[in-house]
Amino acid sequence: MSYFSGKKYNIVTFGCQMNVHESEKIAGILQDLGLTHIEKPEMADVVVFNTCCIREGAEDRAFSNISALKKCKAQNKDMIIAVCGCMPQQKQGKYDFKKKLPFVDIVIGTHNVNMLGVYLKQVVDTKKRVFEVVETPISLEEGKTTIRDDQINAYVNIIYGCNKFCTYCIVPHVRGRERSRPYKDIEAEVKDLIGKGYRYITLLGQNVNSYGKDLNEGIDFATLLTKLSQIEGEFKLKFMTSHPIDFNKDVIKVMKNQPKVAKCLHLPVQSGNDEVLFKMNRHYNIKHYNKLIKATKRAVKNVALSTDIIVGFPGETEKAFEDTLKLIKKVRYDQIFAFMYSKRTGTPAVLLPNQIDEDVKNKRINKLLREQKFISKQMLNACVGKTYNCLVVVKNGVTMGLTDGGREIYLPNDSNNQVNHFVDIKIEDIRNHKLSGVIIDGRRN
Ligand code: 5AD
Ligand code: SF4
């Protein structure tokens, strides 16, 4: 029997869907060792912190969470604490875990997290701390145990890393260059998940539209979506994240023509001003972005749009910020994710002149979010009368339809026979910001 049999683990995850999914694989490694999950990190024998370094706030949160475990470790000397993910992978990170957190046992990066099981055994055997941050990417081997958090949606990696080097972004520095997974591996995983009953498959990558460029399989992202849509079964494909320079007409066509591709698109714009976009090294202008949005709206009926926006990028003038406000009013996203620019050591934007004061960033983000709140409300009201293909689910005992964009539509109680199926729902009413509707067409996917 292994040392870890019957022991308990907890994983604390920070950051994006990529990290959420990586934690599902880490859970697989831990369960393979014989550990079982426990709700509270303080009660666990092994605690893994899967960290994010996209902004300073994420790093500070992770650091204070890890620091808080010091007391528990003092009481339970056998507790093993591991830190992995993007924070340790940075060359010039803000926090030196080795020196600042002497009670942490394992510190590894993004490239060797698949070795966690080996390092855990090493700590038990040698009673020595392990610090292993490697430069060469060894992604988690696919096909190993994955303990998925969600019963409806399953994440599937299609491409790792990023080649874009936006000047504000640390991701290419901690996740390495683009590496696509071979098509047959992706297809096998997707088939397996559909067989297990997952209704949404979310294809993950920092830039999914780059899929296949580094392989010689002749399969680009649009082809990948088309091929995966041919798989038998009741499911829909989602994908994130897209880059406006690589997202193209071919993908829009697949979104339009394939009922199994979800009618939602997350297309980060970052700024509504061309000069800022240039300094961000985004490689597109607003005219190009607007063209993509227009083409998507025209082709994909009732498409749910969302975006990422950074306010207070170095040199962002009041006028440049106003351009971003103008853009969100024009596009009318269902949802925006807005961030204040955060300096990331080692990225070029840190050295740009005219860094923006925090209070100006604060004012701008608040103004942006206020405007979006207003737009989101209008978008919600505009749903009434429209028809969406939805998955019927039961949440807290209430039957509802979920649109591809994640909106909840309350359904009459007699809709229960359609639970776990995709149906067309007509939205009839809105009360207290809640939509209600009726099924107008049963199962068809
Ligand atoms: N500061 C603020 N936001 C950032 N993002 C990436 N890097 C930074 C940074 N240094 C945002 C971008 C990206 C999202 C995942 O995080 O908007 O699309
Ligand atoms: Fe970062 Fe830009 Fe790559 Fe997205 S595309 S991960 S923002 S460098």
Side-chain angles (χ1 to χ4, degrees), residues 189-225:
E189 188 174 353
V190 171
K191 275 187 176 160
D192 177 59
L193 291 165
I194 293 164
K196 286 179 173 147
Y198 288 95
R199 290 296 194 243
Y200 277 111
I201 308 289
T202 302
L203 308 175
L204 287 182
Q206 247 76 43
N207 176 14
V208 288
N209 306 111
S210 270
Y211 176 78
K213 287 180 187 167
D214 56 319
L215 300 176
N216 263 334
E217 296 188 330
I219 300 176
D220 64 5
F221 182 60
T223 315
L224 174 88
L225 276 180

Side-chain angles (χ1 to χ4, degrees), residues 162 164-166 168-169 171-172 206 243 282:
C162 179
K164 290 286 183 246
F165 287 96
C166 301
Y168 51 81
C169 188
V171 169
Q206 247 76 43
H243 191 298
R282 291 289 289 178

Side-chain angles (χ1 to χ4, degrees), residues 244-300:
I245 202 65
D246 296 316
F247 179 77
N248 58 24
K249 281 203 190 104
D250 293 345
V251 182
I252 297 175
K253 221 191 229 164
V254 183
M255 287 180 76
K256 176 185 175 181
N257 294 334
Q258 293 291 346
K260 286 182 179 174
V261 176
K263 309 304 175 217
C264 55
L265 175 67
H266 182 65
L267 196 63
V269 68
Q270 311 298 0
S271 166
N273 177 270
D274 285 347
E275 215 169 298
V276 174
L277 288 174
F278 180 77
K279 286 188 198 150
M280 286 176 162
N281 195 31
R282 291 289 289 178
H283 295 284
Y284 57 84
N285 57 24
I286 286 303
K287 196 170 164 204
H288 173 81
Y289 186 87
N290 278 332
K291 249 195 219 160
L292 291 175
I293 293 288
K294 200 170 161 192
T296 308
K297 280 185 183 170
R298 197 181 313 134
V300 189

Side-chain angles (χ1 to χ4, degrees), residues 48-65:
V48 181
F49 289 91
N50 192 7
T51 61
C52 167
C53 63
I54 195 98
R55 283 170 291 275
E56 194 172 12
E59 289 202 282
D60 294 347
R61 263 195 313 280
F63 191 81
S64 71
N65 265 260

